Every structure is written in C-alpha cells, then in structure tokens.
Amino acid sequence: MITETLLTWTARIISGVSVRWVDSQPDTCQRVYFANHTSHLDVVLVWSALPADVRHLTRPIAAKDYWEGGSIRRHLAKVFNAMLIDRKEIKVHQSPIDMMLREIGKTHSLILFPEGGRSPGEEVGEFKSGLYYLGKKRPDLELIPVYINNMNRILPRGEFMPVPLLSSLTFGPPIWLEAGEPKMDFLARAREAVLSLKDN
C-alpha cells in the first residue's frame, strides 16, 4: 500500500519540484492555499510540498468523479485526506462551501483550485466564487496564493504517464477579503496574487 511518506517523495521526484516561500512561511494556522490548476498531479504536488506538521492539518479539495475512478485513485485520495466534491451534484442546500467549513472546523486548512478545472498551457482562468465565500464566511482564514509552474508539461492533459521535467511551486503572502469588497474585485485580486508569483 502507498503510504504518506512514499507518496510525498514520489511526487517530489516525478515533478523535480523546487519550493519557494515569498513573504510567507509554513505555519499550522488555518489557511486556504489557492493555486492555478493545469494537471491532476497539482493536488498531490501542493500537498506534498508542505512540511509534515502542516501537511497533516491540510486537506486538498478534489473532484470526486476523478479521484473515485478506480481503486488506486481512491486509495491515494485517502492517503492525502482529500475532501472530494461532487461537481455534478452541487445543490443550494448542499453547499460545498458549508461542507468545507464544517470539515475543517477550527484546526484544518484547505488546498483549493479556484479555476474549478484545469486550464490549458500556462493560462490561468477566471476564478470561481468559492474562494470569495470562504473568505466571507471565515474572515480569519489566511488565503495563501500558490503558483504552480510547468506541471502541464510533466503530465499533459489526456496523458497518464508523467514526463520527467523540473517544476516549481511558489507560495506567496496571505491576502484577506476586505470589508465591503465586491466579489468580482476580490476574485480578480486573488487571481493576480497567483499570477504575480510566476516570475519569483
């Protein structure tokens, strides 16, 4: 069976990832790490880049239809303690945001991909509203932008075997939803916070 340690080191070796923290540091305080999304490996990559004490308190948000597609994926999702969201059955009375907040309580953090799906190439798509509502309902959460570079080449869309190349992961300074800030303004600012890390 694949253990947490094995999965962490496998992800790091396959991706050849270098990790940088810009004006922020790893911390066990409650956070939402939000990143651009180009590969199915993004979830594992961000999670495995965190120190063990932070990793144990951090739950990635992942697509239920993908991560329940076979016994290996289901096992991996359990290893990194993913919170699986059914993208096809989202209902008003079953809000994914409320579920996320209920699951993390007062101790855990989240890894979120606000584009909602993978973007082609290096393009970063428009952000969905989930990050805004997390910040609105839990203004105490630190929102940490993360830029993932080159993962779209390591595991291109439609491919199952990774190509050994180097990638990088940059964690930026926290942002918060400002009082009275309109949703679209905040989402644009959050997206820019991710993009600003591209050349760091």
Side-chain angles (χ1 to χ4, degrees), residues 20-26 31 142-145 170-176 196-197 200:
R20 292 186 290 272
W21 292 79
V22 178
D23 297 327
S24 64
Q25 293 294 329
R31 290 172 161 175
E142 289 191 357
L143 310 178
I144 302 287
T170 306
F171 293 82
I175 68 170
W176 289 268
S196 70
L197 300 172
N200 276 289

Side-chain angles (χ1 to χ4, degrees), residues 21-168:
W21 292 79
V22 178
D23 297 327
S24 64
Q25 293 294 329
D27 199 295
T28 55
C29 69
Q30 281 195 285
R31 290 172 161 175
V32 177
Y33 300 94
F34 63 98
N36 57 310
H37 195 19
T38 60
S39 162
H40 282 307
L41 288 180
D42 293 346
V43 174
V44 181
L45 183 67
V46 177
W47 176 82
S48 65
L50 298 170
D53 59 336
V54 179
R55 194 164 61 238
H56 294 158
L57 293 172
T58 303
R59 300 192 63 183
I61 302 299
K64 185 176 182 180
D65 56 301
Y66 178 81
W67 288 99
E68 286 195 343
S71 58
I72 294 177
R73 290 180 194 169
R74 281 197 298 272
H75 175 67
L76 290 177
K78 289 180 180 178
V79 171
F80 58 79
N81 198 19
M83 193 183 305
L84 300 181
I85 301 295
D86 191 336
R87 297 179 293 185
K88 300 175 182 177
E89 293 293 330
I90 294 177
K91 299 175 181 177
V92 174
H93 63 283
Q94 294 177 338
S95 165
I97 301 302
D98 290 340
M99 185 188 84
M100 292 175 201
L101 295 177
R102 185 170 61 249
E103 289 288 325
I104 66 172
K106 296 294 184 181
T107 56
H108 283 69
S109 295
L110 292 172
I111 296 171
L112 181 70
F113 300 94
E115 294 166 273
R118 290 171 294 153
S119 294
E122 296 183 2
E123 177 186 346
V124 177
E126 298 300 318
F127 282 7
K128 308 291 186 185
S129 60
L131 183 65
Y132 168 80
Y133 288 112
L134 284 170
K136 186 174 182 179
K137 292 190 175 189
R138 283 288 304 275
D140 58 306
L141 295 175
E142 289 191 357
L143 310 178
I144 302 287
V146 184
Y147 185 78
I148 303 170
N149 185 45
N150 216 33
M151 281 305 295
N152 59 300
R153 295 189 180 95
I154 291 173
L155 187 63
R157 183 182 287 269
E159 298 295 328
F160 296 97
M161 293 297 294
V163 179
L165 294 170
L166 298 179
S167 65
S168 65

